[in-house]
Amino acid sequence: TTMAQGQINQYQSLNPTAPTLKRSSSFTSAQAKALKPFDSGDIKVLLLENINQAAIDILSGEGYQVEAHSKSLPEDVLIEKIRNVHCIGIRSKTQLTSKVLAEAKKLLVIGCFCIGTNQVDLEAAARQGIAVFNSPFSNSRSVAELVIAEIIFLSRQLGDRNTEMHQGIWNKVSAKCYEIRGKTLGIIGYGHIGAQLSVLAESMGMTVYFYDIIQIMPLGTAKQVSTLDELLERSDFVTLHVPETEETKNMIGDAEINKMKKASYLINASRGSVVQVPALIKGLQSEHLQGAAIDVYPREPRSNGQYFNDELNSWTTELLKCKNLIMSPHIGGSTEEAQRMIGVEVATALFKYINYGTSIGAVNFPEIDLRAIQDTEKNSIRVLFAHQNVPGVLREINQILSDHNVEKQYSDSRGEIAYMMADISDVDENDIH
């Protein structure tokens, strides 16, 4: 049903044999009761882009029908598939546009098994009552470790030496090769990744400064600076860990690179739009920058293969000529551990939303939760109600519920969308409709 019609879209079953989660509530040892009117076996899940097996196991374990593909699908195939699924899981390459979502008549929830959600039209999803979940923090350690490795590689020019050895060239040098102990690391964005990186860098003898738009309690002996310019001027290494926003797009250009120390290093493992690559090339060619490491790019190939060329980004050939430059294909979070953690986190959010209506962690939807109804509460139901955020809706709903005992009720809104959860006791089978 559409939210404009304002109709109830899910409710809690009276059936005591409903599938349950195999975990205990923090309030009681009884099992939590899953939402109905559907049977778990009727829920169809489509997973694309080689989602980790841990997610497949979790969703299959809930009794859902899970269809998994190793790659993204062409738009016409995706549209055909999405018409019949209740849940879809994607990574960064699948584009869930308003055109695609318009065909998703049964879709309840979207799982982005990655950090970003730029590939989903979040507003279109919300208008259709579709919650979107992601995994913003599960790969933090993997990215932090990669940056530490890149700092060491750049300091020792290991990328260039490795390339030379593969060409049969023996070039044993120590000029412009340094230890990282005693050097200064400047972190732009002190979130989960920046904070972990801070601790790792300090343990290796580095001094850490960070810049963030909010005041943050530092870990260890790291110090927050008040301006970006101050961080750039102090640091031997500058590393970026910010989201893609209007404020962060193109934040590092000619002016910022010129403010960096002579013979310093720049690392970008955040978003491709944050660094202006032509300015980076100029900094490397002039040797104002001693080196750089890039894991993300303004435009990236949609699949593996020989697609990283000037047709994708016009400056590619010039970038490839730069010395002491480490380039990697957006693999900051690509470890087995990170992918498993992402699979567990997002899959858990998906089944908790489907089974219990819990929307905590949704990126486009009001975030609400109530303690799950237990199997011992035989005549209790849960009503979930997604609707337009306009006056009078709750009044009408509460008139419908007024003859019953509403044990718990919670409503919240986010922009044009509102979401209500109510648990009602002593309900007869005939009362449900």
Side-chain angles (χ1 to χ4, degrees):
T1 59
T2 66
M3 288 189 295
Q5 293 171 315
Q7 298 197 2
I8 296 169
N9 56 16
Q10 293 179 346
Y11 56 84
Q12 183 77 24
S13 173
L14 290 169
N15 179 5
T17 63
T20 60
L21 288 178
K22 299 175 179 63
R23 53 181 59 81
S24 298
S25 164
S26 58
F27 293 90
T28 175
S29 60
Q31 292 290 323
K33 190 161 54 173
L35 290 173
K36 290 293 168 179
F38 56 79
D39 288 322
S40 294
D42 294 334
I43 295 297
K44 295 182 179 179
V45 179
L46 178 63
L47 300 179
L48 304 177
E49 303 183 64
N50 201 29
I51 300 297
N52 190 267
Q53 186 64 41
I56 298 174
D57 292 343
I58 288 172
L59 296 172
S60 299
E62 292 302 315
Y64 307 154
Q65 300 179 44
V66 179
E67 178 183 345
H69 295 262
S70 61
K71 297 181 179 179
S72 58
L73 300 175
E75 186 180 70
D76 57 336
V77 179
L78 178 61
I79 286 174
E80 186 64 32
K81 290 276 189 185
I82 207 169
R83 287 175 178 146
N84 296 308
V85 299
H86 303 90
C87 169
I88 185 169
I90 63 172
R91 294 177 70 183
S92 58
K93 292 185 174 62
T94 300
Q95 300 296 309
L96 295 181
T97 62
S98 57
K99 175 184 176 182
V100 173
L101 292 174
E103 303 295 327
K105 305 301 183 184
K106 298 180 180 180
L107 195 63
L108 297 172
V109 63
I110 296 168
C112 295
F113 288 77
C114 50
I115 294 178
T117 56
N118 295 343
Q119 68 276 39
V120 180
D121 189 324
L122 298 177
E123 291 185 6
R127 286 194 300 269
Q128 293 178 224
I130 302 168
V132 180
F133 296 89
N134 68 334
S135 179
F137 310 127
S138 290
N139 67 356
S140 301
R141 178 70 181 198
S142 295
V143 178
E145 287 188 4
L146 179 68
V147 172
I148 288 292
E150 289 174 337
I151 290 171
I152 295 172
F153 265 57
L154 292 173
S155 294
R156 301 296 298 275
Q157 300 181 9
L158 284 177
D160 288 358
R161 299 295 86 77
N162 177 67
T163 299
E164 291 163 355
M165 288 295 289
H166 277 274
Q167 297 170 348
I169 300 171
W170 184 271
N171 186 20
K172 183 179 179 180
V173 296
S174 58
K176 298 181 180 179
C177 294
Y178 309 97
E179 294 180 354
I180 69 169
R181 179 181 54 174
K183 305 303 186 296
T184 300
L185 173 64
I187 301 172
I188 302 175
Y190 202 70
H192 284 70
I193 296 172
Q196 288 210 37
L197 174 60
S198 171
V199 173
L200 294 174
E202 278 199 4
S203 71
M204 302 191 74
M206 301 189 79
T207 300
V208 177
Y209 293 94
F210 67 92
Y211 170 74
D212 203 292
I213 57 174
I214 61 175
Q215 195 69 26
I216 299 177
M217 178 69 72
L219 300 179
T221 60
K223 296 179 178 63
Q224 184 167 6
V225 297
S226 57
T227 67
L228 177 60
D229 285 355
E230 183 181 355
L231 180 121
L232 297 174
E233 292 165 0
R234 283 176 175 264
S235 304
D236 299 304
F237 295 84
V238 173
T239 179
L240 292 134
H241 302 285
V242 296
E244 182 180 67
T245 66
E246 288 303 315
E247 290 73 26
T248 63
K249 285 183 179 178
N250 299 314
M251 74 180 298
I252 302 297
D254 285 320
E256 290 74 23
I257 289 174
N258 288 333
K259 286 186 174 72
M260 292 175 63
K261 280 184 174 182
K262 174 71 175 176
S264 57
Y265 305 83
L266 181 64
I267 299 170
N268 184 19
S270 59
R271 289 289 179 265
S273 63
V274 172
V275 174
Q276 299 174 39
V277 179
L280 172 64
I281 294 171
K282 287 168 59 178
L284 290 168
Q285 289 174 339
S286 68
E287 296 187 1
H288 181 78
L289 293 178
Q290 186 87 350
I294 314 174
D295 187 50
V296 289
Y297 308 87
R299 296 180 63 194
E300 299 179 354
R302 293 180 59 84
S303 59
N304 292 342
Q306 294 183 319
Y307 303 118
F308 193 76
N309 50 41
D310 286 343
E311 292 182 14
L312 188 70
N313 295 292
S314 60
W315 35 254
T316 301
T317 298
E318 286 301 306
L319 184 67
L320 295 176
K321 294 176 183 177
C322 293
K323 294 181 179 179
N324 203 20
L325 172 65
I326 298 171
M327 301 176 65
S328 51
H330 203 154
I331 57 170
S334 297
T335 63
E336 292 287 351
E337 293 89 348
Q339 291 307 308
R340 185 184 184 283
M341 289 180 66
I342 290 170
V344 170
E345 181 180 5
V346 179
T348 300
L350 295 178
F351 82 68
K352 288 177 72 174
Y353 182 72
I354 294 172
N355 283 12
Y356 308 121
T358 301
S359 60
I360 300 298
V363 297
N364 69 328
F365 214 68
E367 297 184 70
I368 66 174
D369 189 21
L370 289 175
R371 175 177 59 86
I373 296 175
Q374 306 301 311
D375 269 345
T376 54
E377 302 171 78
K378 299 300 182 185
N379 295 320
S380 294
I381 68 168
R382 171 163 292 179
V383 176
L384 302 180
F385 186 52
H387 59 90
Q388 292 179 347
N389 185 22
V390 295
V393 177
L394 289 180
R395 181 180 66 246
E396 292 188 39
I397 281 293
N398 285 323
Q399 285 175 348
I400 296 171
L401 304 180
S402 61
D403 292 333
H404 302 278
N405 181 29
V406 180
E407 291 191 330
K408 303 186 291 290
Q409 187 172 7
Y410 186 12
S411 178
D412 200 1
S413 62
R414 184 168 183 164
E416 299 178 356
I417 307 304
Y419 183 43
M420 185 207 75
M421 183 182 292
D423 288 353
I424 308 157
S425 63
D426 300 323
V427 177
D428 184 84
E429 188 78 42
N430 297 324
D431 294 328
I432 291 178
H433 181 68

